Amino acid sequence: MIMKARVTVTLKTDVLDPQGKAIHGALATLGFEGVDSVRQGKLIELELDETDRDEAKRKVEAMCEKLLANTVIENYAIDLSN
Amino acid sequence: MIPNETPITPELVAEHGLKPDEYQRILDLIGREPTVTELGIFSAMWNEHCSYKSSKIWLKTLPTKGPQVVCGPGENAGIVDIGDGQVCVFKMESHNHPSFIEPYQGAATGVGGILRDVFTMGARPVAAMNALRFGDPEHPRTRHLVRGVVAGIGGYGNSFGVPTVGGEVEFHESYNGNILVNAFAAGIADKDAIFYAKATGVGKPIVYLGSKTGRDGIHGATMASAEFGEDAEEKRPTVQVGDPFSEKLLLEACLELMAADAVIAIQDMGAAGLTCSAVEMGAKGDLGVTLDLEHVPCREDAMSAYEMMLSESQERMLMVLKPEREDVARAIFEKWGLDFAVVGETTDTRRFLIRQHGGVMADLPIKELGDEAPEYDRPFMRTDPPAPLAASDVPQPDDYNDALLKIVGAPNMCSRRWVWEQYDHLVMGNTIQRPGGDAAVIRVDEDKLKGLAFCVDVTPRYCRADPFEGGKQAVAEVWRNLTAVGAEPLAITDNLNFGNPERPDIMGQFVGCIEGIGEACRQLDFPVVSGNVSLYNETNGEAILPTPAIAGVGLLTDIDRAATIQFKTGGETLVLIGGQGTHLGQSTYLRECLDREDGAPPPVDLERERANGDFVRQAIRSGTVTACHDMSDGGLAVTLAEMAMAGGIGAVIDMAISPDLHARLFGEDQGRYVISVAAENSDDMLADAARNGIAAEVIGETGGPALRIGSVISVSVETLRHAHESWFPGYMATPD
Amino acid sequence: MKSAIVLFPGTNRERDMAATLKRVTGKAPEIVWHGETRLPEVDLIVLPGGFSYGDYLRCGAIAANSPIMPDVIARANAGTFVLGVCNGFQMLTETGLLPGALMRNANLQFVCRDVHLKVENTQTPFTSAYEPGQVIRVPVAHGDGNYFADEKTLDALEDSGRVVLRYCDEKGALTQTANPNGSQRNIAGILNEAGNVLGLMPHPEDMTDARLGGTDGLGLFESIAAAA
C-alpha cells in the first residue's frame, strides 16, 4: 500500500521573497492586473510505504523539520492521499 | 514505445533527415530494409552534426599540425604541449538550436557537453569561455534569450566549479531567429596520461557511466510523427536538462578511474549519445561492438531500443574497461553515487550489434556507419568582395566626443560586466587576468610561473563582406589578443556557424572563410586542433551572418611578465605600433554613427601582423611594456578609451586636424597595438622598433582625469565609464 | 596549526582554500570526506565553498545532514575553530551552529566580483590581524548570500559584536549599492556566541596572493593561525 504525501514549502510571510516579487512584476508587465501578492514555494512529492495515516503524517513532519524545510525562514504543509 | 517492427515509409525516412539517395545508400550497404532502430542510428551518424558531410572536404584543407600539437581534430578535443610534461586539452562547440528553444537548459547543457569533451580525455577543466550572438536588442525575444543563456552558462559552470574567464556577446538582427551559443572549455593533463576513444582488444567489457538514460532530446521530427500511436503526448521530445552536480561527480569519478589504470578507451555521450559513442570507439579501434540494452540504466519505464540509442540524456560516458580492474572501477563509481553498468563488449566482427530482450534490434557494419557516411562537394558561389571604401567618402562626425561616447556605449561595444559577473571567474584560485581584457590568463598551478591565455573572437560583418579576409581576420585577431597579454599563441579551435549549405551563396561564405582561416593559420603557425560546424542556422530563408568563431590558447612562460590593458600611472609614453588608421569600411564607426555596414573589411597583411606581434610580445616579455591593448573594433580612439577606463587614468594624445582624422581615430586597420612605456624607455623602444622594421610612433602620454585627443576629444574617464557601463544593465532591467 | 577541509559531493573551492592554508600555516590541510564520521585532531575545521549536492533542496541543507556533521558540531561545541565560507556558511546556518539563513540574492542573479568589507570586530580569533574598522577587498561568488534573520536575532548579534564583517563601499560606508545580495544590515559574516565559529559569504581564500589581485584575505588566516 503506497501513500502519497505532498509537502508544500513556502517562505514565512515576514520573509522577503525575491522570486515572488519578480513574478509579481512580470505579471504586471504582461497586463495581468489585480494580483495583490505572489509568493513562490516548492512542492515535494513523496511515495511512502505506509498504511497508517497518522504514522505517515508523523514521519513526514519529522522529515520536514529535519530536512525538507528550513523552519527559520519556511513554513510547510502536508497533504496525504492514498 | 517505438517497436522495432515499425514499417519504414518514405515519410519516416524523410523525417529522419535522410535524402532518398542516402536511404538508397543504406539499402545498398546492408542489403535489406533497416529496422527503425537502424534507421535512427543511420540518421544520427549521417546527419550533418556527426558526419560533417557538407564540410568535411573543406575542413581537410585546414592546417592541423605543428611541433606543439599532440592531438589534432578527430578526437573529443585538441591537445597542445605546454611544456614540463603537461598538455592543454581544448575545444569549442555550438549548442545553438537548443538554446533558442530553451535558453537556460540549452546553454547549460552546451557547457556540460564541452566540459565532458575535455575531461573524457583525462584533463581537469581549468577554464571556460563562450561566444554568444543574439538578435537585435529590440527584438521581442532577445532579452529573454540573453537572460536565460547567461543564467544557464553560469548555472552550469559555477556549480561544476570551472572558472568562466572570457567570451563574446554580440547583437545583430541576422540572429533574430537563430542565436549562437558556442561554448569553449580547456583542461590540463599530463602528457603521458591522455585518454582516447579508440578501443583495443576483443571481449573487453563496455561500461556505461554516469546518469541514467531518459527520453531526453530524442529526434524532434521523428517523435512528432503521428505514426507512433495515440499516446504521442507522452513521447513529445523533451528538452535536455543539465545536472551540473552529476557532472562534477562524473569528473571526479572519471579522473579517479583514469588514475586507477582501469580505462582502455573512453568517450562521452553527446548527440545521439549511446550510438555515436559506441560506434566511434569501435570504428576507431577496427573492432565490433555488441550492446545488451537491458543493462542500460534507465530513468523511465519501457524504453525501446530506438529511444535508448538516440537519447541525449546528459552527464553520461561510455568506457572500454580493463576487465581485471572492474572491481576497483565499480567501487570508485559507487563512492561517487553514479551508475556503473557493463552493457556490452568489444568483438572482432566489426559489426554494431544491438540486442534487447533476446532479440536483435540492429546489426550494422560499424566502419561504414562512420567512414562511409555521405560526403558532399556542394556547389558554391563565392562572395564578390566589395570595393574598398575611401575615408574621403565617409563623413566625419559633427562632434568627436559624441561619436566616441556613442561607440563605447553601443550595445556591441559596451561593457559586458552584467554578463561576466554572473559567471564565477575565480574558482580554482588561478585566475590571473579576469574578463574584460584582451585575453584571460590563468596560471597552470600555484607554484609555477607558467600561465595560459585564452580568448575568442570573430567579426561576422567582415566575414559577410569578404569571407576570405574575414576568416583571416578572425584568426589574426585571436593571435593578436593572445600576443597582447604576452602569450605565445599555440593553436585554435574553430566553431563554424553558417546558414544552409545547400545554398551556393552560403556555401561560398563557408568556403571563403575556411580558406581565409587556413591562410592565417599557416602564416602564423597557429594550427586548428579541434572544432565544430553548425549549419542550417537560418529562418525563413534568412541566414545568420557567417560566424566562424575562433578560440585560441597561448602560453606564458612567466605570468609576472604578462601585460594588461589598463594604464598604470600618469606620465608614461604611449606608443602606437603598426601605423595610423586609414580604413573605415565595415567599421564600428560606420555602423554605430552612420548606421551603415558597407565597404570592404580591413585587409590583413599576415606578414606584418606577425612581425608587429612578435615585436610586441618580445617587448612585453622584456618587462618594458606597462600596458598593452590590441586595436580592433572602434580603432585607436576606442582602444585608448578602454585602456583609460580600465585604469581610471586619462591620457593626452597629439593629433592634428586632418581630412582623414576620423580614419585615424576610428579606422580598424589590422595588426596594431597601443603600448605604454616609462618615459625614459621610449627612445630605446622606438630605436628597437626601427631596427626591426616595425612602424612605431609616440602618440602621447598617460595622465589626468580625461582622455584628450588633439583638439577634438576631451572627455573625462568618469563620463566614458558611465557611457560604457550603462547600456547592458539598463537594457536588462526591463522585464522580458 | 593543523587544519582540515571537509569535502562534500559538489564542493568546488577546496583547492583555493587548501592553497591558502598551506601558504599561511606551512602545512597542507587534511581533506576529510563527508561520509566519514570522525574528524582528525585539528585546530581548524573548514567547510569550504561550492555547490554541495548541487544546492538542490536548499543550499547547504543536505550537506548539513551528512555523516561528518555530528562530529563537526561536537568539535565546534568543544571549542575547535570552525570556518564556513560561502556554501560552508550556508551549512553552518542549516545545522544551527549559526543563526539565520542565506536566501536567494535580492536581484536573483549569481554575483562574482570584488566587494569591500568592513571589519566590525577585531576582538575575534578570525580578525585579530586587522585594524578596527579596516576596509578590505575580497571577492564574492554566490547566488544565495542574502542574509536573513528576525529583528531580535539581528539585534542580539549586533549587541554582542557578532556581526564581524559587513559589505561597504571602498571608503567604508554601509550603502545599499555596496551590498551585493540584499543581506539585512549589510551582513557578510557572523560569529557564534562562543566566538569560535565564523561563517561568511565572501572568499578571503581567493584574495591571499598578489598575483590573483590582492592579499586582503590573508589577515583572516593569519588571525586563526595566531589564535590556534
Side-chain angles (χ1 to χ4, degrees):
Chain A
M1 173 75 184
I2 284 184
M3 192 169 287
K4 285 193 174 171
R6 290 160 73 90
V7 178
T8 311
V9 180
T10 50
L11 283 174
K12 291 181 174 175
T13 44
D14 58 339
V15 175
L16 174 74
D17 174 10
Q19 296 173 91
K21 210 171 111 187
I23 297 167
H24 196 183
L27 287 173
T29 319
L30 289 169
F32 291 102
E33 286 165 24
V35 180
D36 286 341
S37 82
V38 179
R39 307 284 290 171
Q40 180 177 319
K42 57 188 152 222
L43 175 68
I44 301 163
E45 291 184 322
L46 309 166
E47 289 186 1
L48 305 170
D49 188 9
E50 180 63 66
T51 48
D52 185 297
R53 228 183 147 76
D54 291 340
E55 182 59 19
K57 185 149 192 280
R58 206 185 52 73
K59 273 189 187 164
V60 178
E61 265 173 7
M63 292 177 202
C64 288
E65 290 289 332
K66 179 80 184 150
L67 180 69
L68 300 182
N70 178 352
T71 53
V72 174
I73 49 172
E74 291 170 333
N75 291 320
Y76 60 87
I78 299 166
D79 181 22
L80 288 171
S81 62
N82 290 336
Chain B
M1 277 288 281
I2 299 165
N4 213 38
E5 302 74 45
T6 305
I8 310 295
T9 62
E11 293 75 33
L12 192 62
V13 170
E15 279 158 9
H16 279 79
L18 291 162
K19 300 272 152 62
D21 59 314
E22 290 174 341
Y23 183 62
Q24 187 56 49
R25 202 185 179 109
I26 293 172
L27 294 177
D28 295 346
L29 205 55
I30 64 175
R32 60 177 164 80
E33 185 174 89
T35 66
V36 71
T37 303
E38 290 173 334
L39 186 71
I41 289 171
F42 270 110
S43 86
M45 292 305 300
W46 285 8
N47 71 15
E48 197 65 58
H49 182 85
C50 271
S51 73
Y52 294 93
K53 59 189 171 192
S54 300
S55 57
K56 207 192 259 174
I57 68 162
W58 293 103
L59 296 177
K60 285 178 191 158
T61 67
L62 292 170
T64 59
K65 295 195 165 61
Q68 71 276 40
V69 177
V70 175
C71 171
E75 281 287 340
N76 282 296
I79 306 180
V80 291
D81 198 318
I82 58 170
D84 311 315
Q86 291 176 303
V87 294
C88 178
V89 178
F90 65 99
K91 190 183 182 185
M92 182 157 55
E93 194 159 75
S94 63
H95 225 214
N96 301 338
H97 190 61
S99 303
F100 185 74
I101 304 295
E102 210 307 295
Y104 184 98
Q105 293 297 346
T109 51
V111 174
I114 199 68
L115 289 168
R116 272 196 304 288
D117 278 333
V118 165
F119 70 78
T120 302
M121 302 199 75
R124 181 178 285 279
V126 295
M129 296 193 292
N130 48 79
L132 311 179
R133 287 189 162 75
F134 299 100
D136 189 315
E138 298 313 315
H139 188 275
R141 246 178 101 75
T142 299
R143 204 178 263 107
H144 164 73
L145 291 168
V146 173
R147 199 184 306 283
V149 166
V150 170
I153 289 171
Y156 206 100
N158 299 348
S159 176
F160 178 83
V162 63
T164 301
V165 294
E168 286 193 287
V169 183
E170 275 194 0
F171 301 90
H172 190 276
E173 62 272 13
S174 77
Y175 306 105
N176 281 350
N178 297 83
I179 63 168
L180 302 183
V181 174
N182 296 172
F184 167 97
I188 294 172
D190 287 337
K191 196 174 177 180
D192 59 3
I194 302 168
F195 290 82
Y196 294 101
K198 178 184 168 182
T200 53
V202 172
K204 305 295 184 196
I206 294 177
V207 180
Y208 174 112
L209 306 170
S211 300
K212 294 186 198 309
T213 296
R215 291 187 172 92
D216 315 49
I218 297 172
H219 240 257
T222 324
M223 300 309 294
S225 167
E227 287 162 33
F228 296 120
E230 295 90 65
D231 54 341
E233 194 50 31
E234 273 296 300
K235 289 191 215 124
R236 287 225 342 250
T238 49
V239 174
Q240 308 155 44
V241 173
D243 179 1
F245 173 57
S246 290
E247 177 113 328
K248 165 77 171 163
L249 304 186
L250 190 59
L251 161 75
E252 300 298 345
C254 282
L255 293 185
E256 250 186 79
L257 195 67
M258 290 162 172
D261 190 29
V263 180
I264 295 174
I266 185 162
Q267 174 79 16
D268 83 298
M269 293 195 222
L274 205 47
T275 294
C276 282
S277 55
V279 168
E280 219 151 293
M281 292 203 303
K284 282 196 166 127
D286 244 344
L287 295 168
V289 165
T290 297
L291 298 179
D292 288 303
L293 296 186
E294 52 271 24
H295 300 307
V296 171
C298 285
R299 203 175 67 219
E300 298 179 58
D301 292 336
M303 286 187 66
S304 68
Y306 177 92
E307 291 166 327
M308 281 194 218
M309 294 311 294
L310 295 186
S311 164
E312 297 194 346
S313 292
Q314 301 287 299
E315 292 91 25
R316 303 179 299 160
M317 296 267 194
L318 206 61
M319 167 181 77
V320 181
L321 180 71
K322 292 186 178 168
E324 66 277 15
R325 306 293 288 165
E326 184 173 335
D327 291 347
V328 178
R330 189 181 294 277
I332 291 170
F333 270 71
E334 278 168 5
K335 169 186 158 193
W336 289 98
L338 295 165
D339 271 302
F340 177 102
V342 176
V343 295
E345 62 170 10
T346 57
T347 66
D348 60 3
T349 61
R350 294 190 193 166
R351 303 290 294 180
F352 189 42
L353 180 65
I354 308 300
R355 297 186 297 216
Q356 191 182 29
H357 311 305
V360 171
M361 301 291 124
D363 184 0
L364 298 169
I366 206 162
K367 295 288 280 183
E368 286 76 0
L369 271 175
D371 298 352
E372 304 268 311
E375 195 175 311
Y376 296 123
D377 184 0
R378 295 203 187 273
F380 60 92
M381 195 175 73
R382 288 187 189 276
T383 308
D384 285 333
L389 182 63
S392 53
D393 291 336
V394 177
Q396 299 210 23
D398 297 334
D399 183 327
Y400 275 89
N401 283 321
D402 290 351
L404 177 59
L405 286 169
K406 185 161 188 191
I407 292 173
V408 299
N412 279 332
M413 297 295 291
C414 67
S415 166
R416 270 64 186 124
R417 184 183 302 278
W418 184 89
V419 175
W420 52 254
E421 281 192 348
Q422 294 185 60
Y423 304 149
D424 189 337
H425 44 268
L426 301 175
V427 63
M428 297 185 92
N430 284 321
T431 305
I432 303 291
Q433 286 194 36
R434 301 182 185 188
D438 279 327
V441 176
I442 64 158
R443 66 179 171 196
V444 170
D445 63 58
E446 210 216 327
D447 38 22
K448 289 204 188 90
L449 287 172
K450 190 163 68 178
L452 290 173
F454 305 102
C455 69
V456 53
D457 243 302
V458 60
T459 312
R461 63 181 190 280
Y462 291 178
C463 295
R464 178 178 59 182
D466 185 339
F468 181 73
E469 284 299 326
K472 270 167 68 183
Q473 193 274 342
V475 175
E477 185 167 352
V478 167
W479 189 89
R480 198 181 311 140
N481 279 326
L482 297 173
T483 296
V485 297
E488 179 196 344
L490 291 179
I492 62 167
T493 176
D494 56 4
N495 201 146
L496 309 171
N497 307 276
F498 289 83
N500 181 354
E502 296 164 41
R503 280 172 47 187
D505 56 329
I506 300 292
M507 200 60 206
Q509 293 178 338
F510 184 80
V511 171
C513 284
I514 289 259
E515 288 175 342
I517 291 168
E519 175 72 8
C521 289
R522 273 185 295 272
Q523 298 260 352
L524 299 171
D525 288 322
F526 199 30
V528 182
V529 296
S530 57
N532 172 243
V533 179
S534 171
L535 301 174
Y536 298 97
N537 291 291
E538 60 180 69
T539 302
N540 302 329
E542 291 290 316
I544 59 164
L545 295 183
T547 312
I550 306 290
V553 175
L555 181 65
L556 291 134
T557 45
D558 182 353
I559 48 174
D560 291 341
R561 289 280 172 89
T564 56
I565 70 167
Q566 67 264 30
F567 292 151
K568 307 296 183 299
T569 180
E572 295 197 320
T573 304
L574 290 168
V575 180
L576 169 64
I577 304 287
Q580 294 283 351
T582 62
H583 199 103
L584 287 170
Q586 296 294 338
S587 65
T588 299
Y589 171 69
L590 267 194
R591 178 186 153 111
E592 299 301 339
C593 297
L594 302 169
D595 203 18
R596 287 165 55 181
E597 290 185 12
D598 60 335
V604 187
D605 178 339
L606 291 164
E607 231 166 278
R608 262 188 52 190
E609 180 78 54
R610 184 161 186 154
N612 292 353
D614 288 348
F615 176 78
V616 168
R617 188 180 317 106
Q618 189 48 44
I620 293 169
R621 290 183 169 191
S622 75
T624 48
V625 173
T626 54
C628 177
H629 195 6
D630 90 301
M631 225 169 295
S632 56
D633 283 347
L636 176 64
V638 171
T639 301
L640 290 165
E642 287 172 350
M643 297 175 87
M645 288 186 281
I649 294 170
V652 180
I653 308 297
D654 304 319
M655 188 73 69
I657 298 285
S658 70
D660 63 346
L661 185 58
H662 57 336
R664 287 173 173 251
L665 292 186
F666 300 121
E668 297 180 3
D669 302 55
Q670 299 291 299
R672 301 191 300 151
Y673 305 79
V674 171
I675 58 178
S676 69
V677 294
E680 65 270 23
N681 291 333
S682 69
D683 288 347
D684 286 352
M685 159 77 63
L686 292 179
D688 196 19
R691 262 196 308 280
N692 286 283
I694 302 297
E697 58 188 292
V698 171
I699 53 169
E701 65 170 26
T702 62
L707 177 62
R708 295 174 197 281
I709 304 180
S711 60
V712 294
I713 289 180
S714 175
V715 51
S716 75
V717 175
E718 266 325 293
T719 306
L720 283 169
R721 274 185 174 169
H722 180 75
H724 193 53
E725 296 289 346
S726 296
W727 186 83
F728 227 114
Y731 175 67
M732 294 308 301
T734 310
D736 298 345
Chain C
M1 178 178 82
K2 282 196 279 188
S3 58
I5 298 175
V6 185
L7 192 64
F8 300 87
T11 291
N12 65 26
R13 255 186 169 80
E14 76 279 12
R15 293 160 167 267
D16 317 35
M17 183 62 78
T20 289
L21 286 170
K22 191 172 169 203
R23 193 171 314 124
V24 173
T25 68
K27 274 196 288 271
E30 290 199 48
I31 305 291
V32 181
W33 184 239
H34 73 114
E36 303 288 323
T37 50
R38 255 192 89 69
L39 287 150
E41 289 304 320
V42 291
D43 307 299
L44 169 70
I45 300 163
V46 179
L47 304 180
F51 287 68
S52 58
Y53 295 93
D55 273 359
Y56 301 150
L57 189 62
R58 283 184 315 281
C59 303
I62 301 179
N65 288 286
S66 42
I68 195 71
M69 271 303 172
D71 200 38
V72 172
I73 294 167
R75 301 292 181 97
N77 289 335
T80 302
F81 295 135
V82 177
L83 174 66
V85 174
C86 199
N87 195 213
F89 185 15
Q90 294 160 344
M91 292 174 205
L92 288 173
T93 60
E94 283 283 346
T95 58
L97 280 171
L98 291 175
L102 280 315
M103 299 182 46
R104 180 65 64 88
N105 291 352
N107 71 356
L108 304 181
Q109 288 174 8
F110 188 94
V111 58
C112 178
R113 67 162 191 252
D114 285 354
V115 297
H116 290 93
L117 300 176
K118 190 171 188 183
V119 184
E120 297 278 24
N121 182 355
T122 54
Q123 308 292 308
T124 85
F126 299 94
T127 52
S128 61
Y130 295 111
E131 298 296 322
Q134 188 176 339
V135 175
I136 61 172
R137 180 175 56 86
V138 293
V140 291
H142 60 248
D144 299 75
N146 182 352
Y147 184 74
F148 173 87
D150 60 41
E151 290 294 312
K152 220 175 89 187
T153 306
L154 290 172
D155 290 343
L157 282 171
E158 305 231 30
D159 292 346
S160 51
R162 288 161 56 198
V163 175
V164 177
L165 298 162
R166 274 191 233 263
Y167 303 108
C168 64
D169 67 15
E170 53 187 298
K171 296 195 176 72
L174 306 175
T175 64
Q176 265 318 300
T177 47
N179 183 344
N181 51 33
S183 287
Q184 287 181 312
R185 306 191 192 182
N186 282 39
I187 289 173
I190 57 169
L191 206 58
N192 69 339
E193 225 171 322
N196 65 318
V197 178
L198 177 75
L200 74 166
M201 285 314 295
H203 290 281
E205 77 278 19
D206 279 338
M207 200 53 96
T208 59
D209 183 341
R211 290 200 176 100
L212 301 180
T215 55
D216 282 4
L218 264 184
L220 191 133
F221 298 95
E222 286 166 352
S223 302
I224 306 171

